[in-house]
Every structure is written in structure tokens, then in C-alpha cells.
Amino acid sequence: MEQKTNGLALLPLALFLVLFIGTGSILSFTGVKMAFYELSPAVAILPALALALIMGHGGLSKKINIMLAGAGEINIITMCVIYLLAGGFASVAKAIGGVDATVNLGLSLIPAEFILPGLFLIAAFVSTAMGTSMGTIAAVGPIAVGIGQQTDIGLAMLMGSVVGGAMFGDNLSMISDTTIAATRTQGCEMGDKFRMNLLIALPAAVGATLLFWLMGDSGQAARVGAWEMARVLPYVVILAMALAGMNVFVVLFTGIVLAGGVGVAVVPGYSVLQWAKDIYAGFSGMHEILVLSMLMGGLGELIRYQGGLAWLLERIGRMTSDRRDGRTRRLGEAGISLLVSLANLCTANNTVAIILTGGMARGLAETNGVDPRRSASMLDIFSCVVQGLIPFGAQVLLAGSIAGISPVDVSLSNMYCYLLCVAALASIALGLPKGGRKVA
């Protein structure tokens, strides 16, 4: 039997956005830094869940079971385990000095006139290996500020190159939470999505590198810290394994073991017990996104059960109903891109935006014949584009704070995200790159 549509079932989602966005907006007006991150979305969703349980037909016990089924759905649980492993690896690798070693290695290889594009490439590599744009900006940002003190390159352009590189890696990394969320919600393999994304992101990255090179030819050599190849090795190995298409659980577990082994072997005083503590610290650092993923899965299942998802897909489907000359696919991809962009603009969090819209995007993709790899790619790309350009996003705010400049200046200097947006829109218009319809 065809599921009934019910627009009112979307009210809990609207309540969540009002609470999360409203709190951030009010705090922003009062001058609070990182205002949109003062109220955790994992807490803001609780009233929305309560409203969803009150609304609709059926008894409370039945609706609670539906919520729990959504929270425990296999893709949600898989996503959560990957979050934990990714957090464990990132924590151990940072503790053994892997981040500093990787950054210093890159700086030692950069020609003097290539400082600005070099920072972009370093941030891109580190973020791809680490899977976190915030961690990359925190690691590379202070070095960019130091370079700014040695050259006449503007701080805004230096930080724009760092944020752009960080968003490149965040968009492509196999252990990025946006990649995990996009692939799991769309039902495709990470390696397939990576290759699809790379064909769109690479031209934008090349263009950004050329622009930064033209703008930064006044750079001078920076003072480079010490580094050991052994500490860089875990990042290189997991990146190679990920690019080779190995199972993400094997990649991350290997990374944790290798990073811990390097720490015990080369870091004075680093013990197996400290290694265990660092793994747990990484687990703890992922608790917010893990809890949010489960609660969002529960809320999404309640909205679906009460007809809200069917109502929304029906409305968006009407916007993409023109089937002339292949327009259905293009309109479907455009709808997915617009959906996640609006969600990201509202929440200032690219992972939250993907989790919010993932189910809707998958339904839209199936309705309009969009390859799951394409829908996952569009979700990830446009969420990263918006996240890298909004001045109230965490990445831009962090970069501005490190450099002591306006986040608006940083966002205006993020050439990569502007070029990535152009490349993605061209990809939709041209229908390239193409691929078969593989499903995980």
C-alpha cells in the first residue's frame, strides 16, 4: 500500500533547526565566538524527538520501538563504529607527533616561491590522511601565521589556502565523517565515491594551486621544524591502503596498530598503556557525532513512519519531473545539492547536514535515476563548499581566530571552495563523470 504523505511530520525536524540555529544566531548577536557550537546538536535534537513521539498515530511504545529501530539501523551502527576507529587513529597519530612531522616534512620540500600553494597542498594531504579539517587547520594554521610574519603575503590569503586544502581533504578522505555519512546514507562504497569525487575536485584543486601560485610569488623560506619519517609513516600507509580500496575497518585498525607501534618504538616514554589511553581519548572525542548519528537515525525513522519523508520527496519530485533530454537526472542531482546546501547553511555543520538530508537524498536519487556514487558525491561536495565559505562555520572561525583576522576575509580568500562549486555545477550540467549503478 502506498505510504500516506504528511507535511506536519516534518515539524520535529523544523523544531530541531529552530533550536539549533536560533541559539547560535542569538549568541552570535551577543558577540559569543563559535556561537553555533555552544549548543550541541545532540542535545538540541532531544525536544524534536519528544515532539515526534507525541505526534502521529500509534501508541507511545510502538513509536519508541520505531525510533530505536532507526537508531540501530545497520548503516547507522556501521557509521558509528567507523567514527570510533577514525577517532582512535587520529588521537594516537597526533600523540606520537605524526601531525607535526607531516607538516614539517611538507614545508621542507616547498620551494620559496611556492609557499602559498604549498600550504594548500600540505593542508590537502594532511586533511586527506587525518580525515578532519578542524585538526588540519589547527595544525597548519599557526605555521601559516608564522610564514605571514616572514613574508608580505596577506594573512587572509594564507589562511584561505589552509582552509581550502583542509576542505579538499575533508571532502575526499576515507576516514572523514562526511565521507562516512555520505556513503553510508547513499549505499555506495567509499572507494567508488572517492574516485567520483576526485574527478570533480582535482580540476578545482589544480586551479586553486595555480591561483595561489600567482598570488603568492613573494613568499620566502620558512623555518622548518624537525621531523622523522617514522612518524609520518602511519599517515602514508593508511592513505595508500585507502586509495587501494581496502576495507575501511582494516585500514583504520591497521593505522591504530602502526601508529601505536611507531610511538612505542621512537617516542621516549611512550608506553603501551599510554597508547591505550590515546585510543580511548580518540573514542571519547567522537561521542557527539556518534550520539547525534543514532538520535538522528531515530528521528528520521519516526518522520518516515509518519509520512514526512514521503511528503517532502513528493514535493521535490514535482520539481524534478521534467523527463526531456535527460533532465530528470540533472534536476535530481541539482535537488540533492540544493537540499544539503540549505541544510548546511542552516546548521553550519557539514556532517549534520549530510545526516539530516541523507535519507531524503537517497529517495530523490532513486526516483530520478541518479547513480548512488553521484548522490554521495554531491552531498559531500556541496556540504564542504558551503562549510568552507560561510563565515560562521567552525573551520573559517578557527582560521580567523588563529590569524587574528575577520572570518569573512578568510572565507573570501578560500579560492578552492569557489572553484569546487563551479566544477560541481559543471559536472551536473554535463553529466560527467559517468558510472554504472553500483550499490554497497
Side-chain angles (χ1 to χ4, degrees), residues 118-307:
L119 278 173
F120 171 75
L121 294 175
I122 290 173
F125 175 77
V126 173
S127 185
T128 302
M130 291 177 65
T132 166
S133 53
M134 290 291 285
T136 299
I137 294 168
V140 184
I143 296 175
V145 174
I147 291 173
Q149 295 169 350
Q150 300 177 35
T151 70
D152 58 0
I153 303 175
L155 281 175
M157 191 58 63
L158 285 164
M159 299 311 293
S161 68
V162 172
V163 174
M167 298 313 295
F168 173 89
D170 195 16
N171 178 218
L172 288 174
S173 176
M174 295 288 191
I175 58 175
S176 167
D177 49 5
T178 59
T179 292
I180 296 166
T183 54
R184 298 313 303 179
T185 58
Q186 300 309 294
C188 68
E189 295 289 347
M190 289 189 180
D192 291 335
K193 178 261 184 188
F194 173 86
R195 286 184 283 272
M196 183 72 71
N197 263 29
L198 185 62
L199 293 173
I200 300 172
L202 191 57
V206 171
T209 302
L210 291 174
L211 278 178
F212 286 133
W213 176 61
L214 293 172
M215 296 175 179
D217 59 1
S218 59
Q220 301 173 11
R223 291 184 294 272
V224 181
W227 59 272
E228 296 177 66
M229 191 62 203
R231 303 188 194 217
V232 181
L233 187 61
Y235 287 123
V236 175
V237 170
I238 73 155
L239 182 59
M241 292 176 66
L243 293 176
M246 296 188 68
N247 182 277
V248 65
F249 292 101
V250 175
V251 171
L252 292 174
F253 187 78
T254 301
I256 292 173
V257 172
L258 183 56
V262 169
V264 171
V266 307
V267 179
Y270 194 83
S271 64
V272 174
L273 181 59
Q274 184 60 48
W275 176 22
K277 290 180 179 179
D278 289 333
I279 294 174
Y280 184 72
F283 288 175
S284 299
M286 303 300 285
H287 76 276
E288 182 181 49
I289 192 65
L290 187 150
V291 171
L292 176 62
S293 296
M294 295 184 68
L295 295 181
M296 191 62 71
L299 179 61
E301 185 61 17
L302 283 171
I303 291 174
R304 186 205 62 78
Y305 169 72
Q306 294 170 4

Side-chain angles (χ1 to χ4, degrees), residues 49 53 60-74 76-77 293-302:
L49 279 170
L53 290 171
L60 179 60
S61 295
K62 180 179 180 180
K63 286 185 282 188
I64 289 176
N65 288 336
I66 291 171
M67 180 191 72
L68 294 176
E73 199 268 335
I74 185 62
I76 297 293
I77 298 301
S293 296
M294 295 184 68
L295 295 181
M296 191 62 71
L299 179 61
E301 185 61 17
L302 283 171

Side-chain angles (χ1 to χ4, degrees), residues 271-424:
S271 64
V272 174
L273 181 59
Q274 184 60 48
W275 176 22
K277 290 180 179 179
D278 289 333
I279 294 174
Y280 184 72
F283 288 175
S284 299
M286 303 300 285
H287 76 276
E288 182 181 49
I289 192 65
L290 187 150
V291 171
L292 176 62
S293 296
M294 295 184 68
L295 295 181
M296 191 62 71
L299 179 61
E301 185 61 17
L302 283 171
I303 291 174
R304 186 205 62 78
Y305 169 72
Q306 294 170 4
L309 180 59
W311 181 88
L312 186 60
L313 290 176
E314 181 183 73
R315 296 304 184 278
I316 298 177
R318 291 177 182 175
M319 297 171 57
T320 60
S321 60
D322 191 339
R323 300 183 179 277
R324 294 173 299 170
D325 301 323
R327 285 177 56 105
T328 297
R329 177 201 53 76
R330 291 197 294 271
L331 289 173
E333 292 179 359
I336 292 169
S337 304
L338 179 61
L339 198 64
V340 74
S341 296
L342 292 175
N344 205 134
L345 187 65
C346 292
T347 62
N349 187 306
N350 46 349
T351 305
V352 172
I354 292 173
I355 295 172
L356 270 174
T357 59
M360 303 176 194
R362 186 166 186 170
L364 188 59
E366 291 173 351
T367 301
N368 293 277
V370 176
D371 188 320
R373 293 172 292 180
R374 291 279 294 177
S375 59
S377 182
M378 292 300 111
L379 280 175
D380 206 343
I381 285 176
F382 280 95
S383 67
C384 283
V385 164
V386 175
Q387 188 69 17
L389 294 179
I390 52 176
F392 51 89
Q395 289 82 353
V396 176
L397 286 172
L398 177 61
S401 177
I402 290 173
I405 60 177
S406 167
V408 175
D409 292 335
V410 177
S411 64
L412 291 174
S413 301
N414 186 357
M415 301 301 171
Y416 169 71
C417 281
Y418 289 110
L419 292 175
L420 180 61
C421 182
V422 172

